[in-house]
Amino acid sequence: MINLENEYLKVSFASKGAELQSIKSKQNDKEYLWDGNPDFWAKHSPVLFPIVGGLKNNTYYFEDQKYQLSRHGFARDHEFQVTQVSTTEASFTFRHTPETLKIYPFKFSLKISYALKDNTLTCTYAVSNPDDTNGLLFSIGGHPAFALPATEQLKYSDYFLEFNTDDELVYHKIEGDLIDNETMTIKLTNKTLPLKHELFYEDALVFKNLKSNLISIKNTKNNHGLTFQFEQFPFFGIWAAKDADFVCLEPWCGIADGIDHNQDLKNKEGIIELAPGSEWQRKWSVVCF
């Protein structure tokens, strides 16, 4: 475990997957991250790389070659090299290997950095293409699960999401890990979405045109919660395992295959092409209160 700490928060990470494991407030002793209960979902905040979501038949084609990748890619299952810069900053790096090149024929360097400042944790993804001649095709996304604990005072339906811009949510349904063309619309009252377990019984809500860049998790019983901030992520998912007391807020640069996709990686919706020698960055942050 790698730990970072300041006067407001104490956070923990695993080197496997560079995965965030805990966000604990030192002000109110509240744990903001899901505990990874395997009866529901054994992860906390995996990185999705080099794909987001599922591929049709777990298969893609690149330059007439057939490859297979499981849902959300492989980075979350690999050990990252750890570099701890200070008590409030840490970074983790994962690079291509002979094994990854067999299923994903691209050289890459993925660096995930975390930084604490006051009551805010920021996560930065930096993808580099070390190849001298070939472009790098990839997608990446976050999958942090935030705890919505049931207590004598609080139940899941007391929590709600508050969006800074959207008055309605237009989402795509998921069919067999793929994105359906059909959309559904949820009208919001005062830009808020009340949470209920039934929202996620048919998998995640997937958005291609979310306007908001701030989503707060609040409840009707007290003033504690968090604000999730993200920029330049064109896709977004909201999900929870069936009847589990958490909600995932998932900023994505990339998306699962559509049901009509031809499986050519170059034509995959949301795929990013990074030129040789180039670097690409995105970040999201959590403000706890």
Side-chain angles (χ1 to χ4, degrees), residues 3 12 20 24 50 58 62 75-76 80 90 96 98-99 101 123 167 173 175 184 187 216 242 259 266 268 272 275 279:
N3 299 306
S12 301
L20 177 63
K24 189 77 173 286
N58 291 324
F62 177 69
R76 59 184 178 168
F80 281 59
H96 64 276
E99 288 71 30
L101 288 169
C123 172
D167 293 306
K173 299 180 71 174
E175 297 291 340
M184 307 287 285
K187 300 290 186 179
S216 295
K242 186 175 182 180
I259 58 173
K266 290 181 179 179
K268 183 171 173 58
I272 299 161
E279 181 177 288

Side-chain angles (χ1 to χ4, degrees), residues 215-265:
I215 302 174
S216 295
I217 301 177
K218 298 181 177 180
N219 69 78
T220 60
K221 303 296 186 182
N222 62 50
N223 294 322
H224 295 306
L226 63 85
T227 296
F228 189 77
Q229 183 170 0
F230 51 99
E231 299 282 354
Q232 296 181 295
F233 289 88
F235 309 101
F236 202 89
I238 302 176
W239 175 78
K242 186 175 182 180
D243 294 330
D245 289 334
F246 69 81
V247 65
C248 289
L249 301 180
E250 307 180 38
W252 300 336
C253 289
I255 194 169
D257 280 355
I259 58 173
D260 300 322
H261 183 49
N262 66 6
Q263 298 176 274
D264 185 336
L265 190 65

Side-chain angles (χ1 to χ4, degrees), residues 34-252:
W34 167 245
D35 63 8
N37 181 346
D39 290 341
F40 295 95
W41 190 58
K43 295 186 181 297
H44 307 267
S45 180
V47 60
L48 315 181
F49 178 90
I51 59 169
V52 171
L55 301 171
K56 188 184 290 188
N57 300 320
N58 291 324
T59 301
Y60 71 93
Y61 292 86
F62 177 69
E63 295 184 346
D64 298 324
Q65 294 293 314
K66 179 180 179 180
Y67 300 90
Q68 290 197 306
L69 279 178
S70 58
R71 191 182 194 191
H72 294 325
F74 49 70
R76 59 184 178 168
D77 298 317
H78 281 261
E79 286 289 326
F80 281 59
Q81 180 184 1
V82 181
T83 303
Q84 184 150 351
V85 179
S86 70
T87 56
T88 58
E89 296 183 5
S91 61
F92 304 78
T93 302
F94 173 49
R95 298 179 175 88
H96 64 276
T97 68
E99 288 71 30
T100 66
L101 288 169
K102 292 175 184 176
I103 57 174
Y104 177 65
F106 301 96
K107 296 178 180 179
F108 67 86
S109 176
L110 168 60
K111 181 178 180 181
I112 303 178
S113 301
Y114 297 95
L116 278 182
K117 184 177 181 182
D118 298 331
N119 61 339
T120 300
L121 172 67
T122 299
C123 172
T124 302
Y125 302 130
V127 180
S128 300
N129 181 1
D131 200 300
D132 293 331
T133 55
N134 298 309
L136 166 61
L137 299 179
F138 73 97
S139 296
I140 192 168
H143 203 310
F146 299 107
L148 306 180
T151 67
E152 290 183 5
Q153 294 78 30
L154 273 170
K155 53 185 182 291
Y156 195 82
S157 58
D158 291 323
Y159 293 93
F160 61 90
L161 302 181
E162 184 178 84
F163 297 79
N164 70 323
T165 302
D166 293 271
D167 293 306
E168 65 178 20
L169 301 176
V170 179
Y171 68 93
H172 287 257
K173 299 180 71 174
I174 295 178
E175 297 291 340
D177 290 347
L178 305 179
I179 305 300
D180 200 320
N181 296 325
E182 180 185 359
T183 60
M184 307 287 285
T185 300
I186 301 174
K187 300 290 186 179
L188 302 181
T189 301
N190 297 324
K191 296 183 172 59
T192 64
L193 174 67
L195 290 176
K196 55 184 179 180
H197 291 303
E198 294 81 4
L199 267 177
F200 310 110
Y201 280 1
E202 296 182 5
D203 213 322
L205 309 181
V206 175
F207 307 98
K208 294 185 179 183
N209 296 291
L210 196 69
K211 300 184 182 76
S212 295
N213 64 349
L214 291 172
I215 302 174
S216 295
I217 301 177
K218 298 181 177 180
N219 69 78
T220 60
K221 303 296 186 182
N222 62 50
N223 294 322
H224 295 306
L226 63 85
T227 296
F228 189 77
Q229 183 170 0
F230 51 99
E231 299 282 354
Q232 296 181 295
F233 289 88
F235 309 101
F236 202 89
I238 302 176
W239 175 78
K242 186 175 182 180
D243 294 330
D245 289 334
F246 69 81
V247 65
C248 289
L249 301 180
E250 307 180 38
W252 300 336

